Amino acid sequence: MSSDTRTSRIDNANREDSTIHNSPRTYYIVYGALLGLLALTVLGGVIGLRAPWGLIVALTIAVAKALLVILYFMHVRDSSRTTWLFVAAGFTWLAILFALTLSDYLSRGWFGA
């Protein structure tokens, strides 16, 4: 393989890589949204919502923050279908682990006592 072919492959890879990044304005907007969600989290803790609303609000805010970080800061939004597949597989595995852990926890004797 000649060095010209190798160089052209590297140049093509770098050219494709540079087109997927977002503008700084997008990052500032996402950062502001994350700060707003942080303020909502603190406000929810100060208000002290009763069960089950406190848990529902906290988990909704946490999922929104996680989605923003995954989509924009980890560049999954502009990634290939393969990346989306692996992200989905990771979350599926996480759901399986949570389900198995929760089923073990709920089957213990101390939960109903």
Side-chain angles (χ1 to χ4, degrees), residues 9-38:
R9 286 183 185 170
I10 292 172
D11 289 343
N12 287 338
N14 288 338
R15 191 175 309 120
E16 290 172 6
D17 231 13
S18 66
T19 60
I20 64 170
H21 297 295
N22 297 316
S23 68
R25 182 176 186 269
T26 302
Y27 290 120
Y28 289 131
I29 291 171
V30 172
Y31 179 67
L34 287 171
L35 286 178
L37 289 169
L38 174 66

mmCIF file of all heavy atoms in Angstrom, residues 9-38:
data_model
loop_
_atom_site.group_PDB
_atom_site.id
_atom_site.type_symbol
_atom_site.label_atom_id
_atom_site.label_comp_id
_atom_site.label_asym_id
_atom_site.label_seq_id
_atom_site.Cartn_x
_atom_site.Cartn_y
_atom_site.Cartn_z
ATOM 1 N N ARG A 9 -6.879 8.156 2.802
ATOM 2 C CA ARG A 9 -7.858 7.554 3.705
ATOM 3 C C ARG A 9 -7.948 8.333 5.010
ATOM 4 O O ARG A 9 -9.022 8.562 5.545
ATOM 5 C CB ARG A 9 -7.497 6.097 3.995
ATOM 6 C CG ARG A 9 -7.765 5.181 2.850
ATOM 7 C CD ARG A 9 -7.457 3.778 3.221
ATOM 8 N NE ARG A 9 -7.613 2.902 2.079
ATOM 9 C CZ ARG A 9 -7.229 1.655 2.047
ATOM 10 N NH1 ARG A 9 -6.655 1.120 3.103
ATOM 11 N NH2 ARG A 9 -7.415 0.928 0.966
ATOM 12 N N ILE A 10 -6.814 8.737 5.525
ATOM 13 C CA ILE A 10 -6.805 9.518 6.758
ATOM 14 C C ILE A 10 -7.478 10.861 6.535
ATOM 15 O O ILE A 10 -8.254 11.325 7.361
ATOM 16 C CB ILE A 10 -5.364 9.687 7.281
ATOM 17 C CG1 ILE A 10 -4.833 8.334 7.744
ATOM 18 C CG2 ILE A 10 -5.307 10.695 8.409
ATOM 19 C CD1 ILE A 10 -3.363 8.334 8.092
ATOM 20 N N ASP A 11 -7.197 11.506 5.401
ATOM 21 C CA ASP A 11 -7.828 12.784 5.101
ATOM 22 C C ASP A 11 -9.339 12.640 4.996
ATOM 23 O O ASP A 11 -10.093 13.480 5.483
ATOM 24 C CB ASP A 11 -7.272 13.375 3.808
ATOM 25 C CG ASP A 11 -5.842 13.874 3.972
ATOM 26 O OD1 ASP A 11 -5.415 14.067 5.134
ATOM 27 O OD2 ASP A 11 -5.157 14.035 2.937
ATOM 28 N N ASN A 12 -9.807 11.579 4.336
ATOM 29 C CA ASN A 12 -11.252 11.352 4.224
ATOM 30 C C ASN A 12 -11.879 11.110 5.588
ATOM 31 O O ASN A 12 -12.965 11.599 5.877
ATOM 32 C CB ASN A 12 -11.540 10.168 3.297
ATOM 33 C CG ASN A 12 -11.303 10.503 1.848
ATOM 34 O OD1 ASN A 12 -11.313 11.669 1.463
ATOM 35 N ND2 ASN A 12 -11.070 9.477 1.040
ATOM 36 N N ALA A 13 -11.204 10.345 6.436
ATOM 37 C CA ALA A 13 -11.736 10.080 7.771
ATOM 38 C C ALA A 13 -11.808 11.366 8.579
ATOM 39 O O ALA A 13 -12.796 11.620 9.277
ATOM 40 C CB ALA A 13 -10.876 9.050 8.489
ATOM 41 N N ASN A 14 -10.779 12.207 8.485
ATOM 42 C CA ASN A 14 -10.796 13.471 9.219
ATOM 43 C C ASN A 14 -11.868 14.410 8.680
ATOM 44 O O ASN A 14 -12.502 15.135 9.434
ATOM 45 C CB ASN A 14 -9.427 14.140 9.154
ATOM 46 C CG ASN A 14 -8.406 13.422 9.991
ATOM 47 O OD1 ASN A 14 -8.756 12.690 10.907
ATOM 48 N ND2 ASN A 14 -7.143 13.616 9.671
ATOM 49 N N ARG A 15 -12.078 14.413 7.392
ATOM 50 C CA ARG A 15 -13.089 15.277 6.785
ATOM 51 C C ARG A 15 -14.480 14.854 7.253
ATOM 52 O O ARG A 15 -15.314 15.673 7.590
ATOM 53 C CB ARG A 15 -12.992 15.225 5.266
ATOM 54 C CG ARG A 15 -13.825 16.278 4.587
ATOM 55 C CD ARG A 15 -13.638 16.291 3.075
ATOM 56 N NE ARG A 15 -12.229 16.338 2.690
ATOM 57 C CZ ARG A 15 -11.624 15.394 1.962
ATOM 58 N NH1 ARG A 15 -12.297 14.346 1.549
ATOM 59 N NH2 ARG A 15 -10.363 15.507 1.640
ATOM 60 N N GLU A 16 -14.740 13.540 7.297
ATOM 61 C CA GLU A 16 -16.043 13.057 7.749
ATOM 62 C C GLU A 16 -16.237 13.335 9.226
ATOM 63 O O GLU A 16 -17.327 13.653 9.668
ATOM 64 C CB GLU A 16 -16.159 11.551 7.483
ATOM 65 C CG GLU A 16 -16.270 11.208 6.021
ATOM 66 C CD GLU A 16 -16.200 9.706 5.773
ATOM 67 O OE1 GLU A 16 -16.177 8.944 6.769
ATOM 68 O OE2 GLU A 16 -16.168 9.306 4.616
ATOM 69 N N ASP A 17 -15.183 13.226 10.007
ATOM 70 C CA ASP A 17 -15.269 13.454 11.437
ATOM 71 C C ASP A 17 -15.580 14.907 11.764
ATOM 72 O O ASP A 17 -16.303 15.190 12.705
ATOM 73 C CB ASP A 17 -13.950 13.069 12.088
ATOM 74 C CG ASP A 17 -14.140 12.138 13.254
ATOM 75 O OD1 ASP A 17 -15.252 11.615 13.395
ATOM 76 O OD2 ASP A 17 -13.176 11.938 14.008
ATOM 77 N N SER A 18 -15.035 15.826 10.991
ATOM 78 C CA SER A 18 -15.189 17.239 11.317
ATOM 79 C C SER A 18 -16.584 17.763 10.985
ATOM 80 O O SER A 18 -16.961 18.819 11.456
ATOM 81 C CB SER A 18 -14.125 18.060 10.580
ATOM 82 O OG SER A 18 -14.351 17.989 9.189
ATOM 83 N N THR A 19 -17.355 17.049 10.202
ATOM 84 C CA THR A 19 -18.673 17.551 9.827
ATOM 85 C C THR A 19 -19.752 17.231 10.841
ATOM 86 O O THR A 19 -20.828 17.790 10.774
ATOM 87 C CB THR A 19 -19.101 16.970 8.467
ATOM 88 O OG1 THR A 19 -19.144 15.546 8.569
ATOM 89 C CG2 THR A 19 -18.145 17.388 7.383
ATOM 90 N N ILE A 20 -19.489 16.345 11.812
ATOM 91 C CA ILE A 20 -20.550 15.931 12.714
ATOM 92 C C ILE A 20 -20.637 16.753 13.992
ATOM 93 O O ILE A 20 -21.553 16.594 14.762
ATOM 94 C CB ILE A 20 -20.419 14.437 13.089
ATOM 95 C CG1 ILE A 20 -19.142 14.188 13.872
ATOM 96 C CG2 ILE A 20 -20.532 13.573 11.877
ATOM 97 C CD1 ILE A 20 -19.070 12.810 14.475
ATOM 98 N N HIS A 21 -19.688 17.627 14.240
ATOM 99 C CA HIS A 21 -19.698 18.384 15.485
ATOM 100 C C HIS A 21 -20.658 19.561 15.402
ATOM 101 O O HIS A 21 -20.837 20.179 14.359
ATOM 102 C CB HIS A 21 -18.292 18.855 15.831
ATOM 103 C CG HIS A 21 -17.359 17.707 16.074
ATOM 104 N ND1 HIS A 21 -17.512 16.837 17.117
ATOM 105 C CD2 HIS A 21 -16.275 17.283 15.387
ATOM 106 C CE1 HIS A 21 -16.563 15.932 17.064
ATOM 107 N NE2 HIS A 21 -15.795 16.178 16.019
ATOM 108 N N ASN A 22 -21.243 19.865 16.537
ATOM 109 C CA ASN A 22 -22.205 20.953 16.619
ATOM 110 C C ASN A 22 -21.487 22.284 16.811
ATOM 111 O O ASN A 22 -20.322 22.336 17.201
ATOM 112 C CB ASN A 22 -23.157 20.709 17.788
ATOM 113 C CG ASN A 22 -23.979 19.456 17.593
ATOM 114 O OD1 ASN A 22 -24.497 19.213 16.515
ATOM 115 N ND2 ASN A 22 -24.086 18.653 18.619
ATOM 116 N N SER A 23 -22.225 23.357 16.593
ATOM 117 C CA SER A 23 -21.655 24.686 16.782
ATOM 118 C C SER A 23 -21.587 25.005 18.279
ATOM 119 O O SER A 23 -22.299 24.416 19.080
ATOM 120 C CB SER A 23 -22.516 25.723 16.071
ATOM 121 O OG SER A 23 -23.764 25.840 16.715
ATOM 122 N N PRO A 24 -20.749 25.958 18.659
ATOM 123 C CA PRO A 24 -20.686 26.350 20.076
ATOM 124 C C PRO A 24 -22.035 26.858 20.605
ATOM 125 O O PRO A 24 -22.351 26.653 21.775
ATOM 126 C CB PRO A 24 -19.638 27.460 20.089
ATOM 127 C CG PRO A 24 -18.768 27.177 18.919
ATOM 128 C CD PRO A 24 -19.694 26.595 17.881
ATOM 129 N N ARG A 25 -22.815 27.477 19.736
ATOM 130 C CA ARG A 25 -24.136 27.968 20.150
ATOM 131 C C ARG A 25 -25.011 26.816 20.640
ATOM 132 O O ARG A 25 -25.722 26.947 21.638
ATOM 133 C CB ARG A 25 -24.812 28.685 18.980
ATOM 134 C CG ARG A 25 -26.156 29.262 19.321
ATOM 135 C CD ARG A 25 -26.737 30.058 18.144
ATOM 136 N NE ARG A 25 -27.945 30.720 18.514
ATOM 137 C CZ ARG A 25 -29.166 30.202 18.374
ATOM 138 N NH1 ARG A 25 -29.303 28.991 17.877
ATOM 139 N NH2 ARG A 25 -30.226 30.877 18.739
ATOM 140 N N THR A 26 -24.951 25.681 19.969
ATOM 141 C CA THR A 26 -25.726 24.515 20.381
ATOM 142 C C THR A 26 -25.290 24.047 21.758
ATOM 143 O O THR A 26 -26.129 23.717 22.608
ATOM 144 C CB THR A 26 -25.545 23.375 19.356
ATOM 145 O OG1 THR A 26 -25.947 23.835 18.074
ATOM 146 C CG2 THR A 26 -26.365 22.162 19.738
ATOM 147 N N TYR A 27 -23.986 24.027 21.984
ATOM 148 C CA TYR A 27 -23.492 23.598 23.297
ATOM 149 C C TYR A 27 -23.926 24.563 24.400
ATOM 150 O O TYR A 27 -24.231 24.123 25.513
ATOM 151 C CB TYR A 27 -21.970 23.471 23.281
ATOM 152 C CG TYR A 27 -21.488 22.304 22.461
ATOM 153 C CD1 TYR A 27 -20.662 22.493 21.367
ATOM 154 C CD2 TYR A 27 -21.873 21.005 22.766
ATOM 155 C CE1 TYR A 27 -20.223 21.422 20.612
ATOM 156 C CE2 TYR A 27 -21.442 19.932 22.023
ATOM 157 C CZ TYR A 27 -20.615 20.143 20.942
ATOM 158 O OH TYR A 27 -20.191 19.090 20.205
ATOM 159 N N TYR A 28 -23.943 25.849 24.109
ATOM 160 C CA TYR A 28 -24.404 26.816 25.112
ATOM 161 C C TYR A 28 -25.884 26.631 25.422
ATOM 162 O O TYR A 28 -26.303 26.760 26.571
ATOM 163 C CB TYR A 28 -24.124 28.248 24.651
ATOM 164 C CG TYR A 28 -22.669 28.611 24.670
ATOM 165 C CD1 TYR A 28 -22.075 29.215 23.569
ATOM 166 C CD2 TYR A 28 -21.867 28.356 25.774
ATOM 167 C CE1 TYR A 28 -20.737 29.554 23.572
ATOM 168 C CE2 TYR A 28 -20.531 28.682 25.790
ATOM 169 C CZ TYR A 28 -19.967 29.289 24.686
ATOM 170 O OH TYR A 28 -18.640 29.616 24.700
ATOM 171 N N ILE A 29 -26.677 26.341 24.414
ATOM 172 C CA ILE A 29 -28.108 26.111 24.626
ATOM 173 C C ILE A 29 -28.317 24.857 25.474
ATOM 174 O O ILE A 29 -29.120 24.855 26.421
ATOM 175 C CB ILE A 29 -28.848 26.011 23.280
ATOM 176 C CG1 ILE A 29 -28.869 27.370 22.591
ATOM 177 C CG2 ILE A 29 -30.264 25.469 23.463
ATOM 178 C CD1 ILE A 29 -29.369 27.338 21.169
ATOM 179 N N VAL A 30 -27.602 23.796 25.165
ATOM 180 C CA VAL A 30 -27.729 22.557 25.934
ATOM 181 C C VAL A 30 -27.229 22.780 27.362
ATOM 182 O O VAL A 30 -27.842 22.299 28.321
ATOM 183 C CB VAL A 30 -26.956 21.407 25.248
ATOM 184 C CG1 VAL A 30 -26.908 20.176 26.122
ATOM 185 C CG2 VAL A 30 -27.588 21.078 23.906
ATOM 186 N N TYR A 31 -26.150 23.523 27.517
ATOM 187 C CA TYR A 31 -25.635 23.837 28.850
ATOM 188 C C TYR A 31 -26.671 24.625 29.653
ATOM 189 O O TYR A 31 -26.899 24.346 30.832
ATOM 190 C CB TYR A 31 -24.335 24.622 28.724
ATOM 191 C CG TYR A 31 -23.722 25.017 30.043
ATOM 192 C CD1 TYR A 31 -23.208 24.057 30.904
ATOM 193 C CD2 TYR A 31 -23.665 26.350 30.420
ATOM 194 C CE1 TYR A 31 -22.643 24.429 32.113
ATOM 195 C CE2 TYR A 31 -23.101 26.724 31.625
ATOM 196 C CZ TYR A 31 -22.596 25.757 32.467
ATOM 197 O OH TYR A 31 -22.040 26.128 33.663
ATOM 198 N N GLY A 32 -27.303 25.601 29.019
ATOM 199 C CA GLY A 32 -28.362 26.355 29.695
ATOM 200 C C GLY A 32 -29.536 25.466 30.086
ATOM 201 O O GLY A 32 -30.098 25.612 31.176
ATOM 202 N N ALA A 33 -29.893 24.541 29.203
ATOM 203 C CA ALA A 33 -30.971 23.605 29.521
ATOM 204 C C ALA A 33 -30.590 22.717 30.701
ATOM 205 O O ALA A 33 -31.418 22.442 31.590
ATOM 206 C CB ALA A 33 -31.317 22.756 28.301
ATOM 207 N N LEU A 34 -29.329 22.274 30.742
ATOM 208 C CA LEU A 34 -28.874 21.464 31.871
ATOM 209 C C LEU A 34 -28.896 22.255 33.178
ATOM 210 O O LEU A 34 -29.270 21.732 34.233
ATOM 211 C CB LEU A 34 -27.476 20.915 31.600
ATOM 212 C CG LEU A 34 -27.391 19.790 30.572
ATOM 213 C CD1 LEU A 34 -25.931 19.494 30.232
ATOM 214 C CD2 LEU A 34 -28.087 18.547 31.066
ATOM 215 N N LEU A 35 -28.514 23.524 33.107
ATOM 216 C CA LEU A 35 -28.580 24.362 34.312
ATOM 217 C C LEU A 35 -30.025 24.580 34.754
ATOM 218 O O LEU A 35 -30.330 24.592 35.953
ATOM 219 C CB LEU A 35 -27.889 25.701 34.068
ATOM 220 C CG LEU A 35 -26.366 25.666 34.034
ATOM 221 C CD1 LEU A 35 -25.815 27.058 33.734
ATOM 222 C CD2 LEU A 35 -25.809 25.149 35.337
ATOM 223 N N GLY A 36 -30.928 24.755 33.782
ATOM 224 C CA GLY A 36 -32.346 24.892 34.118
ATOM 225 C C GLY A 36 -32.902 23.627 34.768
ATOM 226 O O GLY A 36 -33.659 23.697 35.749
ATOM 227 N N LEU A 37 -32.510 22.482 34.249
ATOM 228 C CA LEU A 37 -32.951 21.221 34.847
ATOM 229 C C LEU A 37 -32.348 21.018 36.228
ATOM 230 O O LEU A 37 -32.990 20.454 37.127
ATOM 231 C CB LEU A 37 -32.613 20.058 33.927
ATOM 232 C CG LEU A 37 -33.443 19.975 32.648
ATOM 233 C CD1 LEU A 37 -32.851 18.958 31.684
ATOM 234 C CD2 LEU A 37 -34.888 19.641 32.961
ATOM 235 N N LEU A 38 -31.110 21.489 36.424
ATOM 236 C CA LEU A 38 -30.501 21.447 37.752
ATOM 237 C C LEU A 38 -31.296 22.304 38.729
ATOM 238 O O LEU A 38 -31.563 21.895 39.871
ATOM 239 C CB LEU A 38 -29.060 21.921 37.690
ATOM 240 C CG LEU A 38 -28.339 22.074 39.033
ATOM 241 C CD1 LEU A 38 -28.165 20.715 39.692
ATOM 242 C CD2 LEU A 38 -27.010 22.755 38.834
#
